Amino acid sequence: MNYIKGFRYELYCLARNAQTTLCLVFCDTDPEFARKVCDEGGYDNAFPIELFENYATRMERPNQGQRWDKPLFHLRLDEETPMDNIANAIFSVGSKPRDPVSTKPEELFDANFVFELDKAC
């Protein structure tokens, strides 16, 4: 579901309300190459072609200009993965999303936050 911009915004809002950090890691791969890997990879649980085509055509690429797509890391096959930068984005102090000025944030989630999130999805 991460390919839908509205879902990424919803995850951003959940992270903001939980007062936690987040980052977006985008695997930037050509759809033709991804389809070839899916078809020829020998995976037992490969995507059906119709589903793959649906995802590929509806994909909304992340935009660094949108606050819910920040920080954004592009992973490409021919480049080294910036593991240190990703870890710093997640674990550094002060990189939490800001509260919106016009609204008051909801109360913090209780201990079963992940369970409730999984149940909602």
Side-chain angles (χ1 to χ4, degrees), residues 104-115:
K104 181 181 175 189
E106 295 179 22
E107 294 187 19
L108 292 177
F109 297 102
D110 57 346
N112 65 349
F113 166 71
V114 174
F115 173 75

Side-chain angles (χ1 to χ4, degrees), residues 7-119:
F7 186 71
R8 291 195 309 263
Y9 178 72
E10 183 137 351
L11 292 175
Y12 168 83
C13 291
L14 288 170
R16 182 188 63 212
N17 289 341
Q19 297 180 347
T20 189
T21 57
L22 80 155
C23 75
L24 181 62
V25 178
F26 176 58
C27 298
D28 195 359
T29 305
D30 179 57
E32 295 301 320
F33 178 76
R35 182 174 178 181
K36 180 180 177 184
V37 169
C38 187
D39 289 343
E40 300 172 4
Y43 300 106
D44 293 335
N45 60 348
F47 275 19
I49 295 300
E50 302 82 30
L51 183 60
F52 182 88
E53 293 297 329
N54 188 15
Y55 282 164
T57 56
R58 294 177 58 202
M59 173 68 186
E60 294 183 48
R61 297 177 64 86
N63 178 356
Q64 183 74 25
Q66 303 293 342
R67 67 182 178 280
W68 54 86
D69 285 343
K70 287 182 186 176
L72 172 62
F73 298 97
H74 281 84
L75 300 186
R76 296 176 184 94
L77 290 174
D78 56 348
E79 296 177 6
E80 186 176 333
T81 302
M83 296 302 287
D84 290 337
N85 294 346
I86 293 171
N88 286 338
I90 295 172
F91 299 115
S92 67
V93 177
S95 64
K96 297 176 185 174
R98 294 185 330 214
D99 289 335
V101 176
S102 62
T103 60
K104 181 181 175 189
E106 295 179 22
E107 294 187 19
L108 292 177
F109 297 102
D110 57 346
N112 65 349
F113 166 71
V114 174
F115 173 75
E116 294 295 328
L117 182 62
D118 285 342
K119 191 169 71 172

